[in-house]
Amino acid sequence: MRTTGIVLAAGAGTRFGGPKGLALSRDGVPWVQSAVGMLRASGARDVVVVVGAEADAVAALVPAGAVVVHAADWAEGMAASLRAGLAAAADLLPDAVVVTLVDTPDAPPSAVRRVVGALGPEPANGLAQAVYRGRPGHPVAIGSAHLTAVAAALVGDRGARSYLVAHGAAEVECGDLWSGADVDEPVRGLPDRS
């Protein structure tokens, strides 16, 4: 199965103190680099990184070979960023896409593999979302047959959850693999660019 990963890294990170696409781990590794590496390690053939706030600075941290897409309307919310990512991913003709957030630097490749595995025997028609002790989170896997409809259903600062629920997405427990928590407080924070 051919999968394309999408990293959403376009937000301004107002609670975080700056764009999370610029954040670094304790050992100085950019979160965006970790997200791309995690998706590649999970088996994603291609990876798309959606940038918005401080787009050029975030794009400069994206590893070679990943596709960088600028969501011009990123300030409208997560829906705009996800739409841009889905459109770019669709051009790569995957059987399915896997969406993750840049602010989940601890997400393991095993969670992606488990969620993708839940798409079933016809992955292009499948939908699956990781849950953590029953609480929905990331990664999310979307079969290619759903890409246009998911993009059309996206509104405001919400992702695809309502579409996933309405279309019976498989909920895949991944709490045994990691916490599923996104990071809202700086670990090391943003690089000093003064």
Side-chain angles (χ1 to χ4, degrees):
M1 174 180 28
R2 180 174 177 160
T3 59
T4 295
I6 299 174
V7 179
L8 298 180
T14 50
R15 287 178 296 168
F16 188 71
K20 293 180 181 180
L22 296 175
L24 306 174
S25 67
R26 284 186 180 89
D27 56 358
V29 176
W31 285 2
V32 70
Q33 179 181 325
S34 296
V36 170
M38 183 274 296
L39 288 168
R40 287 178 172 160
S42 76
R45 183 168 174 177
D46 303 296
V47 179
V48 171
V49 179
V50 183
V51 299
E54 297 199 41
D56 292 341
V58 176
L61 299 175
V62 174
V67 176
V68 176
V69 175
H70 182 252
D73 54 352
W74 66 269
E76 294 177 16
M78 184 185 287
S81 299
L82 184 51
R83 266 194 308 273
L86 293 174
D91 289 343
L92 299 170
L93 305 176
D95 297 309
V97 301
V98 181
V99 181
T100 194
L101 306 176
V102 74
D103 64 356
T104 56
D106 297 328
S110 55
V112 173
R113 288 191 291 268
R114 185 178 288 178
V115 171
V116 168
L119 290 175
E122 296 181 22
N125 295 318
L127 293 165
Q129 180 170 26
V131 295
Y132 299 90
R133 290 162 188 74
R135 203 186 77 201
H138 287 83
V140 173
I142 302 168
S144 60
H146 292 276
L147 296 181
T148 301
V150 168
L154 295 169
V155 187
D157 198 27
R158 290 178 301 181
R161 178 70 182 157
S162 48
Y163 183 94
L164 297 172
V165 170
H167 292 84
E171 293 191 345
V172 184
E173 181 58 56
C174 293
D176 59 316
L177 301 175
W178 73 296
S179 71
D182 61 333
V183 181
D184 283 329
E185 300 293 326
V187 177
R188 176 171 167 196
L190 304 170
D192 181 10
R193 294 182 321 240
S194 52

